[in-house]
Coordinates of all heavy atoms in Angstrom, one line a residue:
M1 N -16.8 -4.0 -10.8 CA -17.5 -3.3 -9.7 C -16.6 -2.5 -8.9 O -15.5 -2.8 -8.5 CB -18.2 -4.3 -8.8 CG -19.0 -3.7 -7.7 SD -19.7 -4.8 -6.5 CE -18.3 -5.4 -5.7
F2 N -16.9 -1.2 -8.8 CA -16.1 -0.3 -8.0 C -16.3 -0.4 -6.5 O -17.5 -0.4 -6.0 CB -16.4 1.2 -8.4 CG -15.6 2.3 -7.7 CD1 -14.3 2.5 -7.9 CD2 -16.2 2.9 -6.6 CE1 -13.5 3.4 -7.2 CE2 -15.5 4.0 -6.0 CZ -14.2 4.2 -6.2
V3 N -15.3 -0.6 -5.7 CA -15.3 -0.7 -4.3 C -14.7 0.6 -3.8 O -13.5 0.7 -3.9 CB -14.7 -1.9 -3.7 CG1 -14.7 -1.9 -2.2 CG2 -15.4 -3.2 -4.3
P4 N -15.4 1.5 -3.1 CA -14.8 2.7 -2.6 C -14.0 2.4 -1.4 O -14.4 1.5 -0.5 CB -16.0 3.6 -2.2 CG -17.1 2.7 -2.1 CD -16.8 1.5 -2.9
L5 N -12.9 3.0 -1.2 CA -12.0 2.8 -0.1 C -12.0 4.1 0.8 O -12.0 4.0 2.1 CB -10.6 2.4 -0.5 CG -10.5 1.1 -1.2 CD1 -9.0 0.8 -1.6 CD2 -10.9 -0.2 -0.4
E6 N -11.8 5.2 0.2 CA -11.6 6.4 1.0 C -12.0 7.6 0.2 O -12.0 7.7 -1.0 CB -10.1 6.5 1.4 CG -9.7 7.7 2.2 CD -10.4 7.7 3.6 OE1 -9.9 7.1 4.4 OE2 -11.5 8.3 3.7
R7 N -12.4 8.7 0.8 CA -12.8 9.9 0.2 C -11.5 10.6 -0.1 O -10.6 10.6 0.7 CB -13.6 10.8 1.1 CG -15.0 10.1 1.4 CD -15.9 11.0 2.2 NE -16.3 12.2 1.4 CZ -16.4 13.5 2.0 NH1 -16.4 13.7 3.3 NH2 -16.7 14.5 1.2
L8 N -11.5 11.2 -1.2 CA -10.2 11.9 -1.8 C -9.8 13.0 -0.8 O -8.6 13.2 -0.7 CB -10.5 12.5 -3.2 CG -10.8 11.5 -4.3 CD1 -11.1 12.2 -5.6 CD2 -9.6 10.6 -4.5
V9 N -10.7 13.6 -0.2 CA -10.4 14.8 0.7 C -9.6 14.3 1.9 O -8.9 15.1 2.5 CB -11.7 15.5 1.1 CG1 -12.5 14.6 2.1 CG2 -11.4 16.9 1.7
N10 N -9.6 13.0 2.2 CA -8.9 12.4 3.3 C -7.4 12.0 3.0 O -6.8 11.5 3.9 CB -9.7 11.4 3.9 CG -10.9 11.8 4.5 OD1 -11.1 12.9 5.0 ND2 -12.0 11.0 4.5
L11 N -7.1 12.1 1.7 CA -5.8 11.5 1.3 C -4.7 12.5 1.5 O -4.1 13.0 0.5 CB -5.9 11.0 -0.2 CG -6.8 9.8 -0.4 CD1 -6.7 9.5 -1.9 CD2 -6.4 8.7 0.5
D12 N -4.3 12.8 2.7 CA -3.2 13.6 3.0 C -1.9 12.9 2.8 O -1.8 11.7 3.1 CB -3.4 14.3 4.4 CG -4.6 15.1 4.5 OD1 -4.9 15.8 3.4 OD2 -5.2 15.2 5.5
E13 N -0.8 13.6 2.8 CA 0.5 13.0 2.7 C 0.7 12.3 4.1 O 0.3 12.8 5.2 CB 1.6 14.2 2.6 CG 3.0 13.6 2.6 CD 3.2 12.9 1.2 OE1 2.4 13.1 0.2 OE2 4.1 12.1 1.2
G14 N 1.2 11.1 4.0 CA 1.4 10.2 5.2 C 0.2 9.4 5.6 O 0.3 8.6 6.5
Y15 N -0.8 9.5 4.7 CA -2.1 8.8 5.0 C -1.7 7.2 4.9 O -0.9 6.8 4.0 CB -3.1 9.1 4.0 CG -4.3 8.2 4.1 CD1 -5.5 8.5 4.8 CD2 -4.4 7.0 3.3 CE1 -6.6 7.7 4.8 CE2 -5.5 6.1 3.4 CZ -6.6 6.5 4.2 OH -7.7 5.8 4.1
R16 N -2.2 6.4 5.8 CA -2.0 5.0 5.7 C -3.2 4.2 6.4 O -3.4 4.5 7.6 CB -0.7 4.6 6.4 CG -0.3 3.1 6.0 CD 0.9 2.6 6.8 NE 2.1 3.4 6.8 CZ 3.2 3.0 7.1 NH1 3.4 1.8 7.7 NH2 4.3 3.8 7.1
R17 N -3.8 3.3 5.7 CA -4.9 2.6 6.3 C -5.1 1.2 5.6 O -4.8 1.1 4.4 CB -6.1 3.5 6.1 CG -7.3 2.9 6.9 CD -8.5 3.8 6.9 NE -9.7 3.0 7.2 CZ -10.9 3.5 6.9 NH1 -11.2 4.6 6.4 NH2 -12.0 2.7 7.3
T18 N -5.5 0.3 6.3 CA -5.8 -1.0 5.7 C -7.2 -1.3 5.5 O -8.1 -0.7 6.2 CB -5.2 -2.2 6.6 OG1 -5.9 -2.1 7.9 CG2 -3.7 -2.1 6.7
F19 N -7.5 -2.1 4.5 CA -8.9 -2.4 4.2 C -9.0 -3.9 3.9 O -8.0 -4.5 3.4 CB -9.4 -1.7 2.9 CG -9.3 -0.2 3.1 CD1 -8.1 0.5 2.7 CD2 -10.4 0.6 3.5 CE1 -8.1 1.9 2.9 CE2 -10.4 2.0 3.6 CZ -9.2 2.6 3.4
Q20 N -10.1 -4.5 4.1 CA -10.5 -5.8 3.7 C -11.5 -5.8 2.4 O -12.5 -5.2 2.6 CB -11.1 -6.6 4.8 CG -10.2 -6.9 6.0 CD -9.0 -7.7 5.8 OE1 -9.2 -8.7 5.0 NE2 -7.9 -7.3 6.3
V21 N -11.0 -6.3 1.3 CA -11.8 -6.3 0.1 C -11.8 -7.7 -0.5 O -10.8 -8.2 -0.8 CB -11.2 -5.3 -0.9 CG1 -12.2 -5.4 -2.2 CG2 -11.2 -3.9 -0.4
E22 N -13.0 -8.3 -0.4 CA -13.1 -9.6 -1.0 C -12.1 -10.6 -0.4 O -11.4 -11.3 -1.2 CB -13.1 -9.6 -2.5 CG -14.3 -8.8 -3.1 CD -14.6 -9.1 -4.5 OE1 -13.5 -9.3 -5.3 OE2 -15.8 -9.0 -4.9
G23 N -11.9 -10.6 0.9 CA -10.9 -11.5 1.5 C -9.4 -11.2 1.4 O -8.6 -11.9 1.9
R24 N -9.2 -10.1 0.8 CA -7.8 -9.7 0.7 C -7.6 -8.4 1.6 O -8.5 -7.5 1.6 CB -7.4 -9.2 -0.7 CG -7.4 -10.4 -1.7 CD -6.8 -10.0 -3.0 NE -7.5 -8.9 -3.7 CZ -7.2 -8.3 -4.8 NH1 -6.1 -8.8 -5.5 NH2 -8.0 -7.4 -5.4
S25 N -6.4 -8.4 2.2 CA -6.1 -7.2 3.0 C -5.3 -6.3 2.2 O -4.2 -6.7 1.6 CB -5.2 -7.7 4.2 OG -4.9 -6.6 5.1
L26 N -5.8 -5.0 2.0 CA -5.1 -4.0 1.2 C -4.6 -2.9 2.0 O -5.1 -2.6 3.2 CB -6.1 -3.5 0.2 CG -6.9 -4.5 -0.7 CD1 -7.8 -3.8 -1.7 CD2 -5.9 -5.4 -1.4
L27 N -3.6 -2.4 1.6 CA -2.9 -1.2 2.3 C -3.0 0.0 1.3 O -2.3 0.0 0.2 CB -1.5 -1.4 2.8 CG -0.8 -0.3 3.4 CD1 -1.4 0.0 4.7 CD2 0.7 -0.8 3.6
L28 N -3.6 1.1 1.7 CA -3.6 2.3 0.9 C -2.8 3.4 1.7 O -2.9 3.6 2.9 CB -5.1 2.8 0.8 CG -5.2 4.1 0.1 CD1 -4.9 4.1 -1.4 CD2 -6.7 4.6 0.2
L29 N -1.8 3.9 1.0 CA -1.0 5.0 1.6 C -0.7 6.1 0.6 O -1.0 5.9 -0.7 CB 0.3 4.4 2.1 CG 1.2 3.6 1.2 CD1 2.2 4.6 0.5 CD2 2.1 2.7 2.0
V30 N -0.3 7.2 1.0 CA 0.0 8.3 0.2 C 1.5 8.8 0.5 O 1.9 8.9 1.5 CB -0.9 9.5 0.6 CG1 -0.5 10.8 -0.3 CG2 -2.4 9.2 0.4
L31 N 2.1 8.7 -0.7 CA 3.6 9.1 -0.7 C 3.8 10.1 -1.9 O 3.5 9.9 -3.0 CB 4.4 7.8 -0.9 CG 6.0 8.0 -1.0 CD1 6.5 8.6 0.2 CD2 6.7 6.9 -1.5
D32 N 4.4 11.3 -1.5 CA 4.6 12.3 -2.5 C 3.3 12.7 -3.2 O 3.3 12.8 -4.4 CB 5.6 11.9 -3.5 CG 7.0 11.7 -2.9 OD1 7.4 12.3 -1.9 OD2 7.9 10.9 -3.4
N33 N 2.2 12.7 -2.4 CA 0.9 13.1 -2.9 C 0.4 12.1 -3.8 O -0.6 12.4 -4.7 CB 0.9 14.5 -3.5 CG 1.2 15.6 -2.4 OD1 0.6 15.6 -1.3 ND2 2.2 16.4 -2.7
Q34 N 0.9 10.9 -3.9 CA 0.4 9.9 -4.9 C -0.1 8.8 -4.1 O 0.6 8.1 -3.1 CB 1.6 9.5 -5.7 CG 1.2 8.4 -6.6 CD 2.5 7.8 -7.4 OE1 3.6 8.3 -7.2 NE2 2.2 6.8 -8.3
P35 N -1.4 8.4 -4.3 CA -2.0 7.3 -3.6 C -1.4 5.9 -4.2 O -1.3 5.8 -5.3 CB -3.5 7.4 -3.8 CG -3.7 8.2 -5.0 CD -2.4 9.1 -5.1
L36 N -1.0 5.0 -3.2 CA -0.5 3.7 -3.6 C -1.3 2.7 -2.9 O -1.6 2.8 -1.7 CB 1.0 3.6 -3.2 CG 2.0 4.6 -3.8 CD1 3.3 4.4 -3.1 CD2 2.1 4.3 -5.3
L37 N -1.7 1.7 -3.7 CA -2.6 0.7 -3.2 C -1.8 -0.7 -3.3 O -1.4 -1.0 -4.5 CB -3.9 0.5 -3.9 CG -4.9 -0.5 -3.3 CD1 -5.3 -0.2 -1.9 CD2 -6.1 -0.5 -4.2
L38 N -1.6 -1.4 -2.2 CA -0.9 -2.7 -2.3 C -1.5 -3.7 -1.5 O -2.2 -3.5 -0.5 CB 0.6 -2.5 -2.0 CG 0.9 -1.7 -0.8 CD1 1.8 -2.5 0.2 CD2 1.7 -0.4 -1.2
I39 N -1.1 -5.0 -1.8 CA -1.5 -6.1 -0.9 C -0.8 -5.9 0.4 O 0.5 -5.8 0.4 CB -1.2 -7.4 -1.6 CG1 -1.8 -7.6 -3.0 CG2 -1.5 -8.6 -0.7 CD1 -3.3 -7.9 -2.9
D40 N -1.6 -6.0 1.5 CA -0.9 -5.8 2.8 C -0.3 -7.1 3.3 O -0.7 -7.7 4.3 CB -1.9 -5.3 3.8 CG -1.3 -5.0 5.2 OD1 -0.1 -4.7 5.1 OD2 -2.0 -5.1 6.2
S41 N 0.7 -7.5 2.6 CA 1.4 -8.8 2.9 C 2.8 -8.7 2.3 O 3.0 -8.6 1.1 CB 0.7 -10.0 2.3 OG 1.4 -11.1 2.5
C42 N 3.8 -8.7 3.2 CA 5.2 -8.6 2.8 C 5.5 -9.8 1.9 O 5.2 -11.0 2.3 CB 6.2 -8.6 3.9 SG 7.9 -8.6 3.5
P43 N 6.1 -9.6 0.7 CA 6.4 -10.8 -0.2 C 7.5 -11.7 0.4 O 7.7 -12.8 -0.3 CB 6.8 -10.1 -1.5 CG 7.1 -8.7 -1.1 CD 6.5 -8.4 0.1
H44 N 8.1 -11.3 1.5 CA 9.1 -12.2 2.1 C 8.4 -13.3 2.8 O 8.5 -14.5 2.4 CB 10.1 -11.4 3.0 CG 11.0 -12.3 3.6 ND1 11.4 -12.2 5.0 CD2 11.9 -13.2 3.1 CE1 12.3 -13.1 5.2 NE2 12.6 -13.7 4.1
K45 N 7.7 -13.0 3.9 CA 7.1 -14.0 4.8 C 5.7 -13.7 5.2 O 5.2 -14.2 6.1 CB 7.9 -14.4 6.0 CG 9.3 -15.0 5.7 CD 9.2 -16.4 5.3 CE 10.6 -17.0 5.2 NZ 10.6 -18.4 4.8
G46 N 5.0 -12.7 4.5 CA 3.7 -12.4 4.7 C 3.4 -11.5 5.8 O 2.0 -11.3 6.1
A47 N 4.3 -10.7 6.4 CA 3.9 -9.8 7.6 C 3.1 -8.6 7.0 O 3.2 -8.3 5.9 CB 5.2 -9.3 8.2
S48 N 2.2 -8.2 7.8 CA 1.5 -7.0 7.5 C 2.4 -5.8 7.3 O 3.4 -5.6 8.1 CB 0.4 -6.7 8.5 OG -0.1 -5.4 8.3
L49 N 2.2 -5.0 6.3 CA 3.0 -3.8 6.1 C 2.4 -2.6 6.7 O 2.9 -1.5 6.5 CB 3.2 -3.6 4.6 CG 4.1 -4.7 4.0 CD1 4.0 -4.7 2.4 CD2 5.5 -4.7 4.4
S50 N 1.2 -2.8 7.4 CA 0.6 -1.6 8.0 C 1.4 -0.9 9.0 O 1.1 0.2 9.3 CB -0.8 -2.1 8.6 OG -0.6 -3.0 9.6
V51 N 2.4 -1.6 9.7 CA 3.2 -1.0 10.6 C 4.7 -0.9 10.2 O 5.6 -0.6 10.9 CB 3.2 -1.8 12.0 CG1 1.9 -1.7 12.7 CG2 3.6 -3.3 11.7
A52 N 4.8 -1.1 8.8 CA 6.2 -0.9 8.2 C 6.6 0.5 8.4 O 5.8 1.4 8.4 CB 6.2 -1.4 6.8
T53 N 7.9 0.7 8.5 CA 8.3 2.1 8.6 C 8.6 2.7 7.2 O 9.0 1.9 6.3 CB 9.7 2.2 9.5 OG1 10.6 1.4 8.9 CG2 9.5 1.7 10.9
L54 N 8.4 4.0 7.1 CA 8.5 4.6 5.9 C 9.5 5.7 6.0 O 9.4 6.6 6.8 CB 7.2 5.2 5.3 CG 7.2 5.8 3.9 CD1 7.5 4.7 2.9 CD2 5.7 6.2 3.6
S55 N 10.7 5.6 5.3 CA 11.7 6.6 5.4 C 12.1 7.1 4.0 O 12.5 6.3 3.1 CB 12.9 6.1 6.0 OG 13.9 7.0 6.1
G56 N 11.6 8.4 3.6 CA 11.7 8.7 2.2 C 10.8 7.9 1.5 O 9.6 7.8 1.7
N57 N 11.3 7.2 0.4 CA 10.5 6.4 -0.5 C 10.8 4.9 -0.1 O 10.5 4.1 -1.0 CB 10.6 6.6 -1.9 CG 12.0 6.2 -2.4 OD1 13.0 6.2 -1.7 ND2 12.1 5.8 -3.6
I58 N 11.4 4.6 1.0 CA 11.7 3.3 1.4 C 10.8 2.8 2.4 O 10.7 3.3 3.6 CB 13.2 3.1 1.9 CG1 14.2 3.6 0.8 CG2 13.6 1.7 2.4 CD1 14.2 2.7 -0.5
L59 N 10.0 1.6 2.1 CA 9.2 1.0 3.1 C 10.0 -0.2 3.6 O 10.4 -1.1 2.9 CB 7.9 0.5 2.3 CG 6.8 0.1 3.2 CD1 6.1 1.2 4.0 CD2 5.7 -0.6 2.4
R60 N 10.0 -0.2 5.1 CA 10.8 -1.3 5.6 C 9.9 -2.2 6.5 O 9.3 -1.7 7.4 CB 11.9 -0.6 6.6 CG 12.9 -1.6 7.2 CD 14.0 -0.8 8.0 NE 15.0 -1.7 8.4 CZ 15.0 -2.5 9.5 NH1 14.0 -2.4 10.3 NH2 16.1 -3.2 9.8
C61 N 9.8 -3.4 6.0 CA 9.0 -4.4 6.8 C 9.6 -4.6 8.2 O 10.8 -4.8 8.4 CB 9.0 -5.7 6.0 SG 8.0 -7.0 6.9
Q62 N 8.7 -4.6 9.1 CA 9.2 -4.7 10.6 C 9.6 -6.0 10.9 O 10.4 -6.2 11.9 CB 8.0 -4.3 11.6 CG 7.7 -2.8 11.5 CD 8.7 -1.9 12.1 OE1 9.9 -2.1 11.9 NE2 8.2 -0.9 12.9
R63 N 9.1 -7.1 10.3 CA 9.5 -8.4 10.7 C 10.9 -8.8 10.6 O 11.6 -9.2 11.4 CB 8.5 -9.5 10.1 CG 8.8 -10.9 10.7 CD 7.8 -11.9 10.3 NE 6.5 -11.6 10.7 CZ 5.3 -12.3 10.3 NH1 5.5 -13.3 9.4 NH2 4.1 -12.0 10.6
H64 N 11.4 -8.6 9.3 CA 12.8 -9.0 9.0 C 13.7 -7.9 8.5 O 14.8 -8.1 8.1 CB 12.9 -10.2 8.1 CG 12.1 -11.4 8.6 ND1 10.9 -11.9 8.0 CD2 12.3 -12.3 9.6 CE1 10.4 -12.9 8.6 NE2 11.2 -13.1 9.7
G65 N 13.0 -6.7 8.3 CA 13.8 -5.6 7.9 C 14.1 -5.4 6.5 O 14.9 -4.6 6.0
I66 N 13.4 -6.2 5.7 CA 13.6 -6.0 4.2 C 13.0 -4.7 3.7 O 11.9 -4.3 4.2 CB 13.0 -7.2 3.4 CG1 13.9 -8.4 3.6 CG2 13.0 -6.9 1.9 CD1 13.4 -9.7 2.9
E67 N 13.7 -4.1 2.8 CA 13.3 -2.7 2.4 C 12.7 -2.8 0.9 O 13.3 -3.5 0.2 CB 14.3 -1.7 2.5 CG 14.8 -1.5 4.0 CD 15.9 -0.5 4.1 OE1 16.8 -0.4 3.2 OE2 16.0 0.1 5.2
F68 N 11.7 -2.0 0.6 CA 11.2 -1.9 -0.7 C 11.1 -0.5 -1.1 O 10.7 0.4 -0.3 CB 9.8 -2.5 -0.7 CG 9.7 -3.9 -0.2 CD1 9.6 -4.2 1.1 CD2 9.8 -5.0 -1.2 CE1 9.5 -5.6 1.6 CE2 9.8 -6.3 -0.7 CZ 9.7 -6.6 0.7
Q69 N 11.4 -0.3 -2.4 CA 11.3 1.0 -2.9 C 9.9 1.3 -3.3 O 9.2 0.5 -3.9 CB 12.2 1.2 -4.2 CG 13.6 1.0 -4.0 CD 14.5 1.0 -5.3 OE1 14.1 1.6 -6.3 NE2 15.6 0.3 -5.3
L70 N 9.5 2.5 -3.1 CA 8.2 2.9 -3.6 C 8.4 4.1 -4.6 O 9.3 4.9 -4.4 CB 7.3 3.5 -2.4 CG 6.9 2.4 -1.4 CD1 6.1 2.9 -0.2 CD2 6.1 1.2 -2.2
P71 N 7.6 4.2 -5.6 CA 6.3 3.4 -5.9 C 6.6 2.1 -6.6 O 5.6 1.4 -7.0 CB 5.5 4.4 -6.7 CG 6.5 5.2 -7.5 CD 7.7 5.3 -6.6
S72 N 7.8 1.7 -6.9 CA 8.0 0.6 -7.8 C 7.7 -0.8 -7.0 O 7.3 -1.8 -7.6 CB 9.5 0.5 -8.2 OG 10.3 0.3 -7.2
G73 N 8.0 -0.8 -5.7 CA 7.7 -2.0 -4.9 C 8.9 -2.9 -5.0 O 8.9 -4.0 -4.5
I74 N 10.0 -2.5 -5.7 CA 11.2 -3.4 -5.9 C 11.9 -3.5 -4.5 O 12.2 -2.6 -3.9 CB 12.0 -2.8 -7.0 CG1 11.3 -2.9 -8.3 CG2 13.4 -3.5 -7.1 CD1 12.1 -2.1 -9.4
P75 N 12.3 -4.7 -4.1 CA 13.1 -5.0 -2.9 C 14.5 -4.3 -3.1 O 15.0 -4.4 -4.2 CB 13.0 -6.4 -2.7 CG 12.8 -7.0 -4.1 CD 11.9 -6.1 -4.8
V76 N 15.0 -3.9 -2.0 CA 16.4 -3.3 -1.9 C 17.3 -4.5 -1.5 O 17.3 -4.8 -0.3 CB 16.5 -2.1 -1.0 CG1 17.9 -1.6 -1.0 CG2 15.5 -1.0 -1.4
Q77 N 18.1 -4.9 -2.4 CA 19.1 -6.0 -2.1 C 18.6 -7.1 -1.2 O 19.1 -7.5 -0.2 CB 20.3 -5.3 -1.4 CG 21.1 -4.3 -2.3 CD 22.2 -3.6 -1.5 OE1 22.3 -3.7 -0.2 NE2 23.0 -2.9 -2.2
A78 N 17.5 -7.7 -1.7 CA 16.9 -8.8 -1.0 C 16.3 -9.9 -2.0 O 15.7 -9.4 -3.0 CB 15.7 -8.3 -0.2
P79 N 16.6 -11.1 -1.8 CA 16.2 -12.1 -2.7 C 14.7 -12.5 -2.5 O 14.4 -13.6 -2.2 CB 17.1 -13.3 -2.3 CG 17.3 -13.1 -0.9 CD 17.3 -11.7 -0.7
C80 N 13.8 -11.5 -2.7 CA 12.4 -11.9 -2.6 C 11.6 -11.0 -3.6 O 12.2 -10.1 -4.1 CB 11.8 -11.6 -1.2 SG 11.5 -9.9 -0.8
P81 N 10.4 -11.5 -3.9 CA 9.7 -10.7 -4.9 C 9.3 -9.3 -4.4 O 9.5 -9.0 -3.3 CB 8.4 -11.5 -5.2 CG 8.7 -12.8 -4.5 CD 9.7 -12.6 -3.5
G82 N 8.9 -8.5 -5.4 CA 8.5 -7.1 -5.0 C 7.1 -7.1 -4.5 O 6.5 -8.1 -4.4
L83 N 6.8 -5.9 -3.9 CA 5.5 -5.7 -3.5 C 4.4 -5.8 -4.6 O 4.7 -5.5 -5.7 CB 5.3 -4.3 -2.9 CG 6.3 -3.9 -1.7 CD1 6.1 -2.4 -1.3 CD2 6.0 -4.8 -0.5
S84 N 3.3 -6.2 -4.2 CA 2.1 -6.3 -5.2 C 1.4 -5.1 -5.1 O 0.6 -4.8 -4.2 CB 1.2 -7.6 -4.8 OG 2.0 -8.7 -4.9
L85 N 1.5 -4.2 -6.1 CA 0.8 -3.0 -6.3 C -0.4 -3.2 -7.1 O -0.4 -3.9 -8.1 CB 1.8 -1.9 -6.9 CG 2.8 -1.5 -5.9 CD1 4.1 -1.2 -6.5 CD2 2.4 -0.3 -5.1
L86 N -1.5 -2.6 -6.7 CA -2.7 -2.7 -7.4 C -3.2 -1.3 -8.0 O -2.8 -0.3 -7.6 CB -3.9 -3.0 -6.5 CG -3.6 -4.4 -5.7 CD1 -4.6 -4.5 -4.6 CD2 -3.5 -5.5 -6.6
K87 N -3.9 -1.4 -9.0 CA -4.5 -0.2 -9.7 C -5.6 0.4 -8.9 O -6.5 -0.3 -8.6 CB -4.9 -0.6 -11.2 CG -5.2 0.6 -12.1 CD -5.4 -0.1 -13.5 CE -5.6 1.0 -14.5 NZ -6.7 1.8 -14.3
V88 N -5.5 1.7 -8.7 CA -6.6 2.3 -8.0 C -7.6 2.9 -9.1 O -7.3 3.0 -10.3 CB -6.1 3.6 -7.2 CG1 -5.3 3.1 -6.0 CG2 -5.4 4.5 -8.0
A89 N -8.7 3.1 -8.6 CA -9.8 3.6 -9.5 C -10.5 4.7 -8.7 O -10.3 4.9 -7.5 CB -10.8 2.5 -9.7
Y90 N -11.2 5.6 -9.5 CA -11.9 6.8 -8.9 C -13.3 6.7 -9.4 O -13.6 6.4 -10.5 CB -11.1 8.0 -9.4 CG -9.7 8.0 -8.9 CD1 -8.7 7.7 -9.7 CD2 -9.3 8.7 -7.7 CE1 -7.4 7.6 -9.4 CE2 -8.0 8.7 -7.3 CZ -7.0 8.2 -8.1 OH -5.8 8.4 -7.6
E91 N -14.2 7.2 -8.4 CA -15.4 7.4 -8.8 C -16.1 8.4 -7.8 O -15.9 8.3 -6.6 CB -16.3 6.1 -8.6 CG -17.7 6.1 -9.2 CD -18.4 4.7 -9.2 OE1 -17.9 3.8 -10.0 OE2 -19.4 4.6 -8.6
G92 N -16.7 9.4 -8.4 CA -17.1 10.5 -7.7 C -16.0 11.2 -6.8 O -14.9 11.5 -7.3
D93 N -16.2 11.3 -5.5 CA -15.2 11.9 -4.6 C -14.4 10.8 -3.9 O -13.8 11.1 -2.9 CB -15.8 12.9 -3.6 CG -16.7 12.2 -2.6 OD1 -17.1 11.0 -2.8 OD2 -17.0 12.9 -1.6
C94 N -14.4 9.6 -4.5 CA -13.7 8.5 -3.8 C -12.6 7.8 -4.6 O -12.7 7.7 -5.7 CB -14.7 7.5 -3.3 SG -15.8 7.8 -2.0
I95 N -11.7 7.3 -3.9 CA -10.6 6.4 -4.5 C -11.1 5.0 -4.0 O -11.6 4.8 -2.9 CB -9.3 6.7 -4.0 CG1 -8.2 6.0 -4.7 CG2 -9.1 6.5 -2.5 CD1 -6.8 6.4 -4.6
G96 N -10.8 4.1 -5.0 CA -11.1 2.6 -4.6 C -10.5 1.8 -5.5 O -9.4 2.1 -6.1
I97 N -11.1 0.6 -5.7 CA -10.5 -0.5 -6.5 C -11.6 -1.1 -7.3 O -12.8 -1.3 -6.9 CB -9.8 -1.5 -5.6 CG1 -9.1 -2.5 -6.5 CG2 -10.7 -2.2 -4.6 CD1 -8.2 -3.6 -5.8
D98 N -11.3 -1.4 -8.6 CA -12.3 -2.2 -9.4 C -12.1 -3.7 -9.1 O -11.0 -4.2 -9.3 CB -12.1 -1.9 -10.8 CG -12.7 -0.5 -11.2 OD1 -13.8 -0.2 -10.6 OD2 -12.2 0.2 -12.1
V99 N -13.1 -4.3 -8.8 CA -13.0 -5.8 -8.6 C -13.9 -6.6 -9.5 O -14.8 -6.1 -10.1 CB -13.3 -6.2 -7.1 CG1 -12.3 -5.6 -6.1 CG2 -14.7 -5.8 -6.7
Ligands
FES101 S1 8.2 -10.8 6.3 FE1 8.8 -8.9 5.7 S2 10.8 -8.9 5.7 FE2 10.3 -10.9 6.3

């Protein structure tokens, strides 16, 4: 089942917004004109990434400062798992997720 998240026309560079889908908090952002959808939970200790700083393609969690490369989600020199990236889906003029 397709769950729409945002209209494509609104996905400008720098876009960032969180959504609740079936009990999961998701973060949709646009980097280099590419939409990325991830679980809004830092793999280190679970902080929300909605307020993480983004510098180039490095997303830095605000809680303890661990950095993750985007779009891979791989942590930069940190002993924790990578970000959980999800597959986006498209329907009509919307981006969303298949659940
Ligand atoms: S919770 Fe994100 S760096 Fe610790």
Side-chain angles (χ1 to χ4, degrees):
M1 179 183 73
F2 178 76
V3 175
L5 298 177
E6 184 61 89
R7 295 184 65 209
L8 294 174
V9 71
N10 294 329
L11 293 181
D12 296 323
E13 186 68 22
Y15 175 96
R16 191 189 305 194
R17 188 174 160 197
T18 57
F19 300 88
Q20 294 295 320
V21 177
E22 296 195 327
R24 292 190 301 178
S25 184
L26 308 181
L27 177 66
L28 177 64
L29 57 86
V30 176
L31 176 66
D32 294 334
N33 296 311
Q34 179 184 356
L36 299 172
L37 182 64
L38 48 120
I39 302 287
D40 184 24
S41 176
C42 177
H44 179 229
K45 296 284 185 184
S48 171
L49 296 167
S50 61
V51 293
T53 57
L54 187 59
S55 177
N57 72 326
I58 299 294
L59 189 70
R60 185 177 193 272
C61 178
Q62 292 287 44
R63 187 170 296 173
H64 306 105
I66 292 179
E67 297 177 330
F68 301 89
Q69 297 174 28
L70 293 178
S72 69
I74 295 171
V76 180
Q77 298 178 345
C80 76
L83 299 174
S84 297
L85 289 142
L86 304 173
K87 190 172 186 296
V88 294
Y90 298 91
E91 191 171 298
D93 66 346
C94 287
I95 188 170
I97 183 171
D98 282 324
V99 294

